[in-house]
Amino acid sequence: MSALDPRDVGTETDARAAVDAAIPAPLAESEGVLGRTYRALSIGIVSVVFLIAFEATAVGTAMPVAARELHGVPLYAFAFSAYFTTSLFAMVLSGQWADRRGPLAPLATGISAFGAGLLLSGTAGTMWMFIAGRAVQGLGGGLVIVALYVVISRAYPKRLQPSILAAFAASWVIPSVVGPLAAGSVTEHLGWRWVFIGIPVLVVFPLALALPAIRRRASGPADPAAPVEPYDRRRILLALGISVGAGLLQYAGQELNWFALLPAAVGVALLVPAVRGLLPPGTGRAARGLPSVVLLRGVAAGSFIAAESFVPLMLVTQRGLSPTMAGLSLAAGGGTWALGSYVQSRPRLEPYRERLMVGGMVLVAAAIAAAPSVLIDSVPVWTVAVAWAFGCFGMGMVIASTSVLLLKLSAPEEAGANSAALQISDGLSNVLLLAAGGAAFAALGGGAVGAVHEAVEAGGAGSHPGAFAAVFLPMAGVALVGAWVAGRVRTQ
């Protein structure tokens, strides 16, 4: 039988029990995430997150060059949305797969698909082939992220879950600083393709380290004695609907003409029942407990990412910074994000988690509102870097706390489905708010995606200053709504 065969439930369970029995109980109870019991698992899964983070920061730097060389600048936005839309479907599939068979198989499959997508994009001869590679990456990324949450829920005691989630956040620090510089250097000297082709080789180490540890500690169903439930085909169809609907709305937001109304209407018709069926009941009205946790994740991630996407463009077109310097203006955020995640993981602050989340969302709203102040020439450009550092600190507290609360409020056999709902809220909000922000940006003089990027490459200003304010100020308002939602995450 294959080492990755999820059907080997009995053997895996017995092996895990034997390993646990060999470790003295007092020692296991006092160990940290890098103790003997958890060391290999922790290093392995954090390495996986590190590589995903490096890919996310590096690929963004190489993307404009790739689009221009493949004569696909007008399709630039789809290279991003393709990843998000396919990942939405994969998240639901991964949740069901992990709940029924354990997280090992979806994690291994997801990493393999992620690497295959990178290779496909790196060898693409046309923009549509490049976008197809990004879509395959999204499938892999969706499988991986949900499976990792299930691993944490099964392999780590609740006292260690905030610490390993803080380590996930910390693993973004180095990629956020080094990724753009490394990708820029590779793109300049070797070509943009090597940014994509080189990353899959690095996946071998975390796979070799993490998969055996997962097999020992977190494989198989949560309750091996219980009958395995069949896959919920309705949820899988709803997941497909949410992916297609999000993609259609993204397309309509980019087109901005009367013909775009039809795909927009179809997208809404697909999204509404899918969202209602895939997210916990009460999410739309911010019901206390799990529904508010899931809603907060989307509100926080969507408002922040939608605003952050326009920061480098604003600094380049309005203040004359080079693309590298504009990207580096956000580099400090990686460190403060990790610091915020570390703060929320401290045991003595657990009773104040709700207040930390409210304060975090206020910081996020303030940072987003402060960013367009650099549209005034007398305001120094470093204002954005300082504001974004505080915003990232708030995001670190909020995002890690939503993950902690989700695992706390989920039974082991529901961890996959609920983790999928959390990630769906995150990914869908990114797509919808990016589409809304992009539409407002274009409608108020920002220009089409292709025109803006051509202007950036030429060193000119391709956008009207008011178009940026039309993105940042509404997103700051969305973040303030998140502060209210954060006050409803507790069940009492």
Side-chain angles (χ1 to χ4, degrees):
M1 188 171 290
S2 169
L4 297 181
D5 194 334
R7 295 171 294 179
D8 192 8
V9 175
T11 303
E12 293 165 352
T13 305
D14 294 341
R16 186 163 67 248
V19 170
D20 292 342
I23 301 172
L27 177 61
E29 291 176 0
S30 62
E31 281 186 315
V33 294
L34 291 178
R36 187 177 68 169
T37 307
Y38 307 103
R39 185 181 299 126
L41 178 61
S42 297
I43 294 175
I45 63 177
V46 169
S47 297
V48 171
V49 176
F50 178 88
L51 288 175
I52 292 175
F54 188 83
E55 182 273 342
T57 55
V59 166
T61 302
M63 197 85 76
V65 180
R68 189 175 66 250
E69 185 174 313
L70 295 173
H71 307 289
V73 172
L75 300 173
Y76 182 84
F78 290 102
F80 291 97
S81 61
Y83 182 98
F84 285 122
T85 52
T86 56
S87 67
L88 290 172
F89 172 75
M91 289 169 189
V92 176
L93 178 61
S94 183
Q96 295 203 31
W97 194 353
D99 282 342
R100 286 157 178 77
R101 299 293 184 181
L104 181 62
L107 180 62
T109 304
I111 293 175
S112 300
F114 191 80
L118 283 167
L119 291 174
L120 184 58
S121 291
T123 57
T126 66
M127 190 61 180
W128 281 115
M129 186 62 69
F130 181 87
I131 292 171
R134 292 287 293 166
V136 174
Q137 271 186 263
L139 287 171
L143 289 172
V144 167
I145 190 63
V146 173
L148 284 177
Y149 274 90
V150 178
V151 169
I152 294 172
S153 72
R154 301 229 190 135
Y156 294 89
K158 291 191 180 298
R159 66 180 179 84
L160 292 181
Q161 290 174 2
S163 297
I164 192 63
L165 289 168
F168 277 15
S171 66
W172 280 78
V173 176
I174 294 177
S176 67
V177 177
V178 177
L181 293 176
S185 179
V186 170
T187 300
E188 182 179 349
H189 294 96
L190 298 177
W192 63 268
R193 295 182 184 276
W194 286 101
V195 176
F196 293 85
I197 296 173
I199 294 176
V201 179
L202 304 177
V203 174
V204 176
F205 169 74
L207 274 178
L209 196 61
L211 295 184
I214 294 172
R215 181 179 175 85
R216 290 193 302 269
R217 303 198 58 83
S219 58
D223 183 3
V228 178
E229 296 291 332
Y231 285 88
D232 188 337
R233 294 183 180 180
R234 176 179 174 273
R235 287 183 64 85
I236 293 177
L237 288 175
L238 289 175
L240 183 60
I242 207 172
S243 293
V244 175
L248 289 173
L249 282 180
Q250 177 76 10
Y251 170 80
Q254 291 296 321
E255 290 299 310
L256 287 181
N257 56 45
W258 289 107
F259 295 103
L261 291 177
L262 178 58
V266 175
V268 171
L270 289 172
L271 274 178
V272 172
V275 169
R276 291 174 61 88
L278 293 174
L279 300 186
T283 299
R285 55 184 174 85
R288 287 195 174 275
L290 183 63
S292 286
V293 172
V294 172
L295 178 61
L296 177 61
R297 179 59 164 261
V299 170
S303 60
F304 189 80
I305 297 301
E308 187 178 55
S309 299
F310 286 86
V311 170
L313 187 62
M314 178 176 65
L315 294 177
V316 170
T317 61
Q318 304 302 313
R319 298 302 298 264
L321 270 66
S322 68
T324 300
M325 291 303 299
L328 286 177
S329 68
L330 305 179
T336 57
W337 189 307
L339 179 61
S341 185
Y342 171 81
V343 167
Q344 66 80 35
S345 72
R346 297 302 85 196
R348 68 171 180 269
L349 293 180
E350 177 61 33
Y352 310 103
R353 184 173 297 281
E354 181 180 332
R355 296 181 185 177
L356 289 175
M357 296 171 78
V358 172
M361 287 308 303
V362 171
L363 286 176
V364 171
I368 296 174
S373 65
V374 298
L375 294 170
I376 303 172
D377 290 338
S378 59
V379 177
V381 292
W382 52 257
T383 301
V384 171
V386 174
W388 224 248
F390 279 99
C392 286
F393 178 78
M395 284 293 288
M397 290 194 295
V398 173
I399 296 300
S401 289
T402 56
S403 300
V404 171
L405 287 174
L406 177 106
L407 296 178
K408 182 179 180 180
L409 296 172
S410 301
E413 65 275 8
E414 297 174 344
N418 289 342
S419 297
L422 189 76
Q423 297 303 323
I424 287 170
S425 179
D426 188 321
L428 180 61
S429 181
N430 284 339
V431 172
L432 295 182
L433 290 181
L434 273 169
F441 181 75
L444 294 178
V449 173
V452 169
H453 280 277
E454 288 169 3
V456 171
E457 292 295 329
S463 310
H464 190 278
F468 289 101
V471 174
F472 288 103
L473 297 183
M475 296 306 161
V478 173
L480 280 178
V481 172
W484 172 76
V485 176
R488 299 179 59 80
V489 296
R490 291 192 179 273
T491 54
Q492 298 180 358

